[in-house]
Amino acid sequence: MSPLLPSNAIGGVTVTIPPEAVIYDGERVVVQWAQQGSAGEYRTETPITPGGREYKVPVEKVRYHVNRSLPVSYEVLEPGVDVPHPSQAYVLKVEVLSGMPTIQCDKVSGGKLSLQSIPNGGYANFTLGSWTLMSTDQFLTITVEGVGIDNKKLVIPVLTESLVPQVAPTIPAGRISKAALQGFKLNLALEVRVKVSFDNKQTWQTFPTLTPTLIA
């Protein structure tokens, strides 16, 4: 198993057929990225350079597999032979992201979120910086968690499985009302939690948590 850093796959990846593989003139080579028929798979028989042994896998087929392992293989199709000659599958691990952004709030200053800074009927707004392999086919779930005025855990959903609205240096990431924040105990830390799914909500990657103290 070999690792692939997402930061090295911004432009996609290149699969190279090893030089020791015997391929005769007239035979076709098909590269298979991930299990055939599975979500996030890619299949191509078009090399980057005609007659070459390098095949491009687009970035959208790479980012689906963040924090996953997948098989990469190829098969040789001999003219007049129905059954292809498959290679041994190479297991590739796409690593977790690094340098993920911490969510920001326009009403947080000096590590504190002041209720007084929010007008009655108003909101605290969240934004999120960009990340490696960011895409509009990814999903965001954001919650604000803490201790409620009843001394029980309180979780307020901000975004639930929402599509990333755009690829930009900073994106809007929902909001929470002053009324909802008033349900938390004062002078304790809140946790603004962010999860992102790269694989159509099958798995979720955790981003850094914002932990402001709620004050009056």
Side-chain angles (χ1 to χ4, degrees):
M1 183 182 295
S2 179
L4 171 65
L5 296 176
S7 58
N8 292 335
I10 294 173
V13 300
T14 299
V15 175
T16 302
I17 306 299
E20 63 270 20
V22 178
I23 303 171
Y24 296 106
D25 289 343
E27 293 180 332
R28 292 162 48 217
V29 177
V30 181
V31 166
Q32 179 68 43
W33 173 267
Q35 192 71 38
Q36 188 172 0
S38 67
E41 71 144 340
Y42 183 69
R43 191 171 172 85
T44 181
E45 57 178 282
T46 305
I48 296 173
T49 303
R53 293 194 174 206
E54 293 185 333
Y55 296 77
K56 192 73 171 180
V57 177
V59 64
E60 59 266 24
K61 299 300 182 181
V62 178
R63 58 185 173 229
Y64 187 92
H65 298 281
V66 167
N67 200 27
R68 286 172 169 266
S69 297
L70 67 148
V72 181
S73 62
Y74 65 93
E75 54 190 35
V76 178
L77 288 77
E78 186 180 346
V81 178
D82 293 334
V83 180
H85 305 290
S87 73
Q88 184 175 0
Y90 177 84
V91 180
L92 178 70
K93 170 68 184 293
V94 182
E95 297 284 8
V96 297
L97 294 178
S98 61
M100 287 103 69
T102 300
I103 191 167
Q104 301 297 309
C105 177
D106 64 346
K107 297 301 189 292
V108 171
S109 178
K112 299 184 186 332
L113 198 170
S114 171
L115 288 175
Q116 191 175 11
S117 69
I118 308 172
N120 291 331
Y123 295 83
N125 301 290
F126 298 109
T127 56
L128 195 59
S130 62
W131 56 90
T132 303
L133 304 185
M134 183 183 190
S135 171
T136 54
D137 61 2
Q138 295 161 5
F139 293 85
L140 281 171
T141 289
I142 299 173
T143 55
V144 178
E145 304 181 14
V147 178
I149 55 177
D150 59 359
N151 289 317
K152 295 180 181 179
K153 182 175 181 178
L154 178 60
V155 178
I156 303 294
V158 174
L159 294 177
T160 302
E161 299 182 351
S162 296
L163 279 168
V164 171
Q166 60 183 315
V167 176
T170 303
I171 61 171
R175 62 184 188 173
I176 186 170
S177 68
K178 180 175 183 175
L181 286 169
Q182 288 171 329
F184 292 98
K185 289 192 74 171
L186 293 174
N187 303 313
L188 295 177
L190 300 174
E191 295 184 342
V192 186
R193 296 182 171 270
V194 178
K195 296 188 298 183
V196 179
S197 178
F198 292 78
D199 56 8
N200 197 30
K201 299 180 282 188
Q202 293 188 52
T203 62
W204 294 85
Q205 314 301 317
T206 301
F207 277 35
T209 300
L210 179 68
T211 56
T213 299
L214 183 68
I215 62 173

